[in-house]
Amino acid sequence: MSFTIEHWANRVRAGDVRAISRAITAIENHTPDAEKLLHIVFPQTGSAYLTGITGAPGTGKSTLVDRLAAHYRGRQEQVGVIAVDPTSPYSGGAILGDRIRMQSHAGDSGMFIRSMATRGFLGGMARATAEVALLLDAAGKRQVLIETVGVGQDEVDIVRLADCVVVVSPAWATTFKT
């Protein structure tokens, strides 16, 4: 390789989008370099506030994430978004690609958005979600929004990771009258 892990870590800490993207791919693929990188950047973590967004599919989780991101960016805060989607049976990647729904942030250098496939991991998140949240923290993202794939009865692992969890419910559930 034409770079050192320390140089890569410095680029991540500087918020370099390509370095962060490459690091996330390495984390998802369980490469030995990813573990070394996380070990180097770990001392720079602990400043981000992690908000988990969960709820049934189709309830507006992505819309809420988009609006929260806009709110934080309006306050000049650095924002990272981890959007966990079901895995495509064809590509092995994220099936929905929440980045498409957040196009208004595409050119914003204060935002980093990454869709991640569950890759068969249960609990509503991808196996690498916690490590990616740490990486975004080290990269200076002070607000990290984690959108889960959606919940049924068992997809609640986000409560162990996030500082705050928002459960989005369909409007009809809150207006039901007996």
Side-chain angles (χ1 to χ4, degrees):
M1 293 184 187
S2 62
F3 66 93
T4 65
I5 304 268
E6 281 77 17
H7 177 73
W8 191 9
N10 288 337
R11 298 307 318 142
V12 166
R13 287 188 289 248
D16 181 279
V17 173
R18 290 184 71 186
I20 296 167
S21 297
R22 212 170 110 231
I24 293 172
T25 299
I27 291 167
E28 288 181 304
N29 293 330
H30 319 299
T31 70
D33 286 346
E35 188 174 330
K36 293 174 190 170
L37 176 69
L38 286 169
H39 180 75
I40 292 169
V41 301
F42 185 76
Q44 285 78 44
T45 64
S47 298
Y49 191 80
L50 278 59
T51 303
I53 311 295
T54 193
T59 56
K61 295 184 301 293
S62 296
T63 300
L64 179 59
V65 168
D66 180 61
R67 302 281 162 71
L68 284 172
H71 169 76
Y72 291 131
R73 287 302 296 139
R75 293 177 20 186
Q76 301 303 307
E77 294 187 58
Q78 295 285 310
V79 178
V81 174
I82 303 168
V84 182
D85 288 323
T87 303
S88 166
Y90 304 105
S91 70
I95 201 165
L96 298 176
D98 284 313
R99 289 179 287 183
I100 293 168
R101 291 188 288 243
M102 297 181 208
Q103 286 299 310
S104 63
H105 305 292
D108 184 347
S109 63
M111 285 277 301
F112 183 89
I113 303 169
R114 177 69 173 243
S115 293
M116 294 175 56
T118 60
R119 296 185 179 191
F121 192 76
L122 301 177
M125 298 188 303
R127 185 210 57 83
T129 304
E131 290 87 356
V132 172
L134 282 173
L135 186 83
L136 292 176
D137 184 359
K141 305 305 180 192
R142 293 300 162 249
Q143 297 291 337
V144 177
L145 305 173
I146 304 166
E147 179 185 352
T148 71
V149 73
V151 296
Q153 296 295 317
D154 297 326
E155 296 82 8
V156 293
D157 286 354
I158 190 67
V159 299
R160 289 191 284 279
L161 174 61
D163 297 306
C164 171
V165 176
V166 178
V167 179
V168 182
S169 65
W172 62 264
T174 58
T175 59
F176 181 77
K177 296 179 183 180
T178 57

